[in-house]
Amino acid sequence: MNKQVKVLVIEDDSYICELITLYTEKSGYIVSIANDGMKGLEMFYDSPPDLVILDIMMPEMDGWEVCKEIRKWDKTPIIMLTGRGESYDKLKGFDLGADDYLVKPFDPNELMARIKAVLRRANPMLDANGTIEHPLLKIDRQQYKVTCAGQEIVLPPKEMELLYFLASHSNQVFTRQQLLDQLWGFDFEGDPRTINVHIKRIREKLGDSNPYWNVKTIRGVGYKFEVESQCYE
């Protein structure tokens, strides 16, 4: 049931491409390679990845331009690679919308740690070891299993993903549209009220008498997974 993470590497150095491929595939990711900026953009549009690893100095189109074009389209996480470590380059990368920055030569293990951190920030549903625990509640995304008050609760995939997402952002309010964008995708054309239906079913299955947490409606705004702070003291 796990979604495999797709990584697009846009880099003209074949050795670095091989190195990144070796480590990312070992972590279970699907890797695609482009050796110039124009080809990288084509591959990005043809099959949008979950994360882009982007070199700055490349033929056809440099990494700055590729980053700008990607940011016109969506918010896919980008880690930029460069042979230069000047602070100006880093600031320019962040200004253009890059999520992280790594100077060559780099430790592949450090790159993997950064990839996982960026993916967690961008979308907790992509965290390979996704388990969330609150008092009387455990959500194991890897096994798609929810345990509430010692009882296993069966949730369909979308209800499971919705609960996991909300619980991984405790006390943060999300609009219906934000939840649709995160879990159904930006191109979803269905009724936004589908969120209401899923929330209703989640509440029915988990019950509404828990003193520690609840899936709360914020009238006129959306929903949040509300956690009582004293239960962690």
Side-chain angles (χ1 to χ4, degrees):
M1 297 291 291
N2 289 342
K3 174 185 175 181
Q4 278 194 285
V5 174
K6 295 190 295 183
V7 176
L8 173 60
V9 180
I10 308 177
E11 163 68 67
D12 63 335
D13 187 316
S14 59
Y15 171 75
I16 291 178
C17 289
E18 290 176 7
L19 187 66
I20 294 174
T21 299
L22 176 66
Y23 277 79
T24 50
E25 287 186 342
K26 185 178 179 181
S27 294
Y29 301 154
I30 299 172
V31 186
S32 299
I33 302 291
N35 295 126
D36 65 69
M38 289 295 293
K39 181 63 176 177
L41 270 183
E42 290 177 14
M43 293 175 66
F44 179 88
Y45 293 133
D46 287 343
S47 180
D50 297 300
L51 179 137
V52 175
I53 298 175
L54 176 62
D55 185 30
I56 291 179
M57 305 304 294
M58 290 184 298
E60 302 295 333
M61 177 184 286
D62 66 27
W64 305 128
E65 290 300 315
V66 174
C67 186
K68 282 195 289 187
E69 290 300 315
I70 289 175
R71 280 295 169 263
K72 290 178 184 178
W73 198 74
D74 73 3
K75 297 180 180 179
T76 300
I78 298 172
I79 297 177
M80 300 198 79
L81 304 177
T82 182
R84 302 186 302 177
E86 287 88 346
S87 59
Y88 169 79
D89 283 351
K90 294 183 181 180
L91 292 174
K92 183 175 180 179
F94 290 134
D95 284 344
L96 291 175
D99 295 87
D100 206 346
Y101 192 104
L102 199 57
V103 178
K104 302 175 187 176
F106 55 84
D107 181 342
N109 292 307
E110 180 182 358
L111 174 62
M112 293 311 303
R114 289 173 182 259
I115 287 173
K116 291 173 184 176
V118 167
L119 286 173
R120 275 197 303 272
R121 291 197 300 268
N123 187 352
M125 293 304 299
L126 295 177
D127 187 355
N129 298 312
T131 300
I132 296 173
E133 293 192 56
H134 292 286
L136 303 181
L137 179 69
K138 181 177 181 180
I139 309 168
D140 186 338
R141 189 203 62 82
Q142 192 168 11
Q143 298 185 49
Y144 269 66
K145 183 163 65 173
V146 176
T147 304
C148 181
Q151 299 294 316
E152 185 172 338
I153 308 297
V154 178
L155 297 180
K158 270 292 181 262
E159 291 177 20
M160 168 73 183
E161 292 170 7
L162 179 56
L163 175 63
Y164 182 96
F165 182 81
L166 288 170
S168 66
H169 296 82
S170 298
N171 297 318
Q172 184 174 341
V173 180
F174 292 93
T175 66
R176 293 171 182 81
Q177 191 58 53
Q178 286 174 324
L179 294 171
L180 286 172
D181 290 346
Q182 284 286 341
L183 302 172
W184 275 260
F186 291 95
D187 56 352
F188 177 75
E189 297 180 354
D191 190 334
R193 288 175 295 183
T194 189
I195 293 290
N196 304 28
V197 175
H198 282 73
I199 291 290
K200 181 175 181 291
R201 291 174 178 166
I202 289 172
R203 286 171 172 160
E204 289 173 348
K205 292 170 183 176
L206 297 185
D208 56 4
S209 59
N210 192 292
Y212 303 111
W213 47 262
N214 70 91
V215 181
K216 187 173 182 178
T217 300
I218 306 301
R219 189 175 299 276
V221 182
Y223 299 99
K224 72 174 179 178
F225 187 88
E226 186 173 70
V227 175
E228 297 295 333
S229 59
Q230 61 265 31
C231 71
Y232 291 103
E233 294 176 355

